[in-house]
Amino acid sequence: TNPLGSKRVDPNAKGCNNVSVSGDIKAMFGAGGAKLKVTLLRGDALAKRNPFVVMRLRHESTSDGTSSRIKVKSRVKVGQNSPEWAETFEMDPLSSWGDVLKIEVRHQKTTSGEEKIGGAELALACLKPPPHEQKVTLELSGEGSSGTITIATVVLPRV
């Protein structure tokens, strides 16, 4: 069976760095499964100041066809367009290497509300095989977006 479901990830795709992980997560990590540890390192040349990051891990269950999301949010870095966060988040459980980490950089307005600066996606199949940590710099996309976000990722067994 294909652990990526119907979605195949091209190891030559942007962000994959010629790496593609496959295999059953439970077979690799045991019945407890796995989790994704993401450290938000920094943003560079962001279009606005007062940025924060929202990360969502979208995964689909191959057994019943449902999907769910895990969502985490960083602190706002006031007055900075090249912030350093050094915040670590653990997102679990991982369901397959077909899961996608969606990253959205937002701007906290000083009066009220927020607006999107840009976003990026990282297919987990593009990560180095566990237990290697991988640093990834992603270029933000979207209307009026600019800059990059750098994260470090590692897949770990769930305990």
Side-chain angles (χ1 to χ4, degrees):
T1 63
N2 176 13
L4 302 177
S6 61
K7 298 178 184 177
R8 291 211 175 261
V9 176
D10 178 3
N12 298 312
K14 185 177 178 181
C16 272
N17 299 321
N18 298 315
V19 175
S20 185
V21 178
S22 62
D24 183 7
I25 285 181
K26 287 191 177 179
M28 292 177 92
F29 292 97
K35 62 184 173 185
L36 177 66
K37 181 178 172 182
V38 179
T39 301
L40 176 60
L41 298 172
R42 68 180 167 275
D44 290 304
L46 301 177
K48 304 255 183 178
R49 297 188 180 271
N50 304 336
F52 66 96
V53 176
V54 177
M55 290 185 277
R56 292 178 176 89
L57 181 63
R58 184 203 60 173
H59 55 94
E60 298 175 13
S61 171
T62 54
S63 60
D64 62 8
T66 60
S67 66
S68 62
R69 291 186 174 183
I70 301 165
K71 178 181 171 181
V72 295
K73 180 180 169 183
S74 75
R75 295 184 310 267
V76 174
K77 290 295 188 171
V78 177
Q80 299 180 37
N81 68 343
S82 290
E84 301 223 358
W85 277 280
E87 290 184 52
T88 300
F89 305 94
E90 289 188 356
M91 306 170 91
D92 77 272
L94 295 182
S95 61
S96 79
W97 295 115
D99 293 353
V100 175
L101 180 65
K102 293 188 175 205
I103 300 168
E104 189 172 278
V105 181
R106 301 194 65 81
H107 163 71
Q108 182 69 51
K109 294 181 180 180
T110 53
T111 52
S112 66
E114 57 188 55
E115 65 182 317
K116 184 176 178 178
I117 295 174
E121 292 186 357
L122 177 65
L124 298 192
C126 293
L127 300 179
K128 288 182 181 176
H132 302 287
E133 182 177 81
Q134 180 174 353
K135 191 184 287 187
V136 181
T137 298
L138 300 165
E139 190 171 320
L140 298 178
S141 63
E143 188 176 328
S145 67
S146 68
T148 60
I149 286 292
T150 302
I151 60 173
T153 62
V154 65
V155 178
L156 301 168
R158 266 178 99 200
V159 191

